Amino acid sequence: MRCRHLSLTNFRTYGRLELDLPPGVSVLCGNNAQGKSNLLEALYMLATIKSFRTTSERELVSWHAGADERFARVSAEIERQASTSRLDIILVEPASGNAANAAAGARTRAIQKRIRLNQQPRRSLDALGQLNCVLFTPADVELITGSPAQRRRYLDIMLCQVDPHYVRVLSRYQRVLTQRNALLRQLRDRRLPPDQLGYWTEQVVALGSELIVGRGQAVTTLNSSLAAIHPRLVDDRPSLGIVYRSSVTDLPSTLAEEAGAVARTDDVRSAVAAQFAAQLDAQQERERRQGMTVVGPHRDDLAFTVDGMDLNRFGSRGQQRTAALAVKLAEAAVMEQRTGERPVLLLDDVLSELDPQRRLLLQEILAGDGLPAASAPSDGRDSGADRGGQVLLTTTELRPFTPAFLAAATVFQIANGALRPAATT
Ligand SMILES: Nc1ncnc2c1ncn2[C@@H]1O[C@H](COP(=O)(O)OP(=O)(O)OP(=O)(O)O)[C@@H](O)[C@H]1O
Ligand SMILES: [Mg+2]
């Protein structure tokens, strides 16, 4: 799939932008603070319906927007193999009423987010996955070195883009978990008889085991795609592996036996549910003491290993960065396998992270025959020119790129939130 056209109004540095985006690789080149990352942020927002940089959507509305146009709009024409769609996200600051304290009042009121798909209003949950993007930024080394919550979030974002069922299960799990935790707190404070808990425990187990199995299966496919991609990025050094560490079950061994056996997913889910229920049973005392659900997918983690070595603890910084990049490239292959469409790759400042040899290898991967698929070759719907899919990458200079890579790419110069095609020689 690709974003054919991007329109921005009052989005961060962009007062107004109308940009046709070609298939293949686009290089966005510009000095610091010119709006390169802002543009990737806008595209990624269309995929996930949230900003990856801020939870305060008010920050996205341009500071330069006049008092009568306190809104931001991000719109795209999205081309898939069989259809084209238009997605709009509009952020509106509520009207500030009468003059007195207007500015202060407007600052405290929540911003409204309106989403339209082909001009029809949609809820956030229903707009996810219209555009599929994989984003890599320098901060993504935290996938390896950051908190378990960041790693869980990573898997959840990937799955939410490609699996509408997962989105709903995740959202219900979060609600049910909040309810169960509230009850556990009341039990701790002896404000409730214990028999109230059973229903919520059942719900947490049913929904939670779906999440665990969904994530475990995603990790299995990520691994098979990593086996193809990581050696190409590190010149055939030992391969990177990911293990899903569940707090309720030894999932890798269960899933290894079931890998690819879709018909038996239900069996795996029942097995995981049984172990989850048994764990909750065993942890009753601890839960009542702490007033919260102490095991479940909200406590799970991922481990990254190279040749059996834990990358988080022992990896060099460069190894960790390359691993995070490899995981993102593998993610693109997984998403393609799930949807039949290659996602748009957004690579922010990616070369600055890599040594010269890895820079070359990455350019070969991006420009050459594209990313290896996580599964058997696709059914031939791929058109030759588009095999690598759409890639947008940002850089402050063109020097690190090979002439061949630049010759095959479209290069945009970006300054003060305006883009123009650039000469590459
Ligand atoms: N709501 C906003 N309105 C106007 N300008 C904004 C807004 N939010 C951020 N900016 C400006 O956007 C600029 C940063 O843009 P961006 O992060 O896209 O830069 P960049 O080109 O990626 O730079 P770098 O090479 O340093 O990564 C900052 O100068 C900041 O002041
Ligand atoms: Mg930037």
Side-chain angles (χ1 to χ4, degrees):
M1 84 169 55
R2 78 172 165 119
C3 173
R4 206 159 62 178
H5 187 85
L6 176 70
S7 311
L8 302 178
T9 309
N10 295 340
F11 184 86
R12 292 219 191 250
T13 29
Y14 296 91
R16 180 105 201 136
L17 177 81
E18 295 293 338
L19 178 65
D20 285 326
L21 285 165
V25 178
S26 295
V27 176
L28 310 177
C29 180
N31 287 337
N32 296 136
Q34 297 305 306
K36 302 184 297 296
S37 301
N38 292 346
L39 196 136
L40 299 195
E41 179 183 27
L43 277 163
Y44 198 62
M45 188 163 168
L46 288 161
T48 60
I49 319 295
K50 279 186 188 145
S51 163
F52 72 88
R53 289 164 123 193
T54 179
T55 48
S56 165
E57 290 175 334
R58 194 179 295 279
E59 283 176 22
L60 303 173
V61 180
S62 168
W63 303 325
H64 309 297
D68 55 344
E69 49 167 24
R70 299 300 307 162
F71 72 94
R73 181 199 295 266
V74 181
S75 310
E77 276 171 35
I78 301 159
E79 186 180 277
R80 296 167 166 268
Q81 286 162 15
S83 64
T84 307
S85 56
R86 184 195 159 100
L87 183 61
D88 300 272
I89 302 179
I90 304 140
L91 302 169
V92 186
E93 285 190 2
S96 46
N98 62 28
N101 291 333
R107 297 261 139 222
T108 52
R109 274 196 294 272
I111 200 157
Q112 291 171 13
K113 180 154 59 182
R114 296 178 195 151
I115 299 156
R116 298 217 175 87
L117 178 63
N118 297 326
Q119 314 295 350
Q120 302 298 314
R122 283 281 185 284
R123 296 181 312 164
S124 298
L125 287 190
D126 300 325
L128 273 169
Q130 285 303 314
L131 178 65
N132 292 155
C133 288
V134 172
L135 170 75
F136 178 80
T137 79
D140 279 328
V141 70
E142 288 181 22
L143 185 57
I144 315 286
T145 61
S147 66
Q150 282 169 294
R151 287 184 280 276
R152 289 191 295 268
R153 205 172 105 78
Y154 165 70
L155 278 184
D156 287 342
I157 290 175
M158 170 172 77
L159 283 163
C160 283
Q161 282 198 59
V162 296
D163 185 349
H165 180 68
Y166 190 90
V167 179
R168 281 173 180 75
V169 174
L170 180 63
S171 142
R172 282 171 59 204
Y173 181 77
Q174 282 157 347
R175 278 205 306 273
V176 164
L177 186 67
T178 306
Q179 286 286 349
R180 187 170 188 273
N181 286 343
L183 281 181
L184 282 166
R185 277 195 301 280
Q186 291 180 4
L187 281 174
R188 182 188 59 192
D189 304 340
R190 303 192 197 295
R191 283 185 280 132
L192 210 72
D195 59 345
Q196 300 268 338
L197 201 60
Y199 169 78
W200 297 104
T201 304
E202 274 170 31
Q203 293 290 307
V204 158
V205 165
L207 297 163
S209 38
E210 280 208 58
L211 295 182
I212 294 171
V213 173
R215 289 178 185 172
Q217 285 172 333
V219 167
T220 306
T221 5
L222 265 179
N223 272 323
S224 64
S225 157
L226 268 177
I229 200 124
H230 189 251
R232 283 178 68 189
L233 205 53
V234 297
D235 205 15
D236 280 335
R237 304 266 177 71
S239 199
L240 173 69
I242 311 181
V243 181
Y244 187 79
R245 294 220 171 114
S246 170
S247 54
V248 301
T249 169
D250 179 15
L251 194 64
S253 55
T254 322
L255 275 169
E257 290 156 23
E258 309 286 339
V262 176
R264 296 183 62 189
T265 296
D266 283 348
D267 296 346
V268 182
R269 202 178 296 137
S270 313
V272 170
Q275 291 172 57
F276 193 178
Q279 280 280 338
L280 287 177
D281 205 39
Q283 302 282 347
Q284 274 182 32
E285 268 315 301
R286 205 173 131 215
E287 290 205 314
R288 304 254 165 101
R289 241 188 357 262
Q290 298 189 5
M292 66 171 88
T293 307
V294 295
V295 291
H298 61 289
R299 288 288 179 96
D300 292 354
D301 199 359
L302 291 175
F304 297 84
T305 58
V306 168
D307 227 11
M309 173 191 77
D310 182 343
L311 259 190
N312 185 6
R313 294 178 62 198
F314 301 112
S316 79
R317 194 74 181 167
Q319 251 179 333
Q320 292 168 340
R321 285 174 179 159
T322 315
L325 176 60
V327 171
K328 295 295 177 121
L329 298 178
E331 177 188 347
V334 172
M335 287 170 86
E336 183 180 6
Q337 189 199 37
R338 289 286 181 98
T339 63
E341 300 267 357
R342 180 149 293 192
V344 179
L345 265 184
L346 307 173
L347 305 175
D348 200 9
D349 223 359
V350 66
L351 289 200
S352 68
E353 297 273 292
L354 303 175
D355 68 32
Q357 195 199 6
R358 289 181 186 187
R359 286 179 176 179
L360 278 179
L361 292 169
L362 176 65
Q363 288 175 69
E364 277 171 20
I365 292 173
L366 296 178
D369 53 353
L371 301 168
S375 59
S378 69
D379 56 8
R381 286 174 297 172
D382 253 3
S383 77
D386 217 11
R387 277 193 67 197
Q390 191 176 39
V391 181
L392 274 83
L393 57 87
T394 71
T395 182
T396 51
E397 53 175 356
L398 294 178
R399 229 177 351 172
F401 294 93
T402 64
F405 182 83
L406 290 176
T410 307
V411 180
F412 295 94
Q413 202 67 43
I414 177 164
N416 285 323
L419 277 86
R420 58 181 174 77
T424 56
T425 48

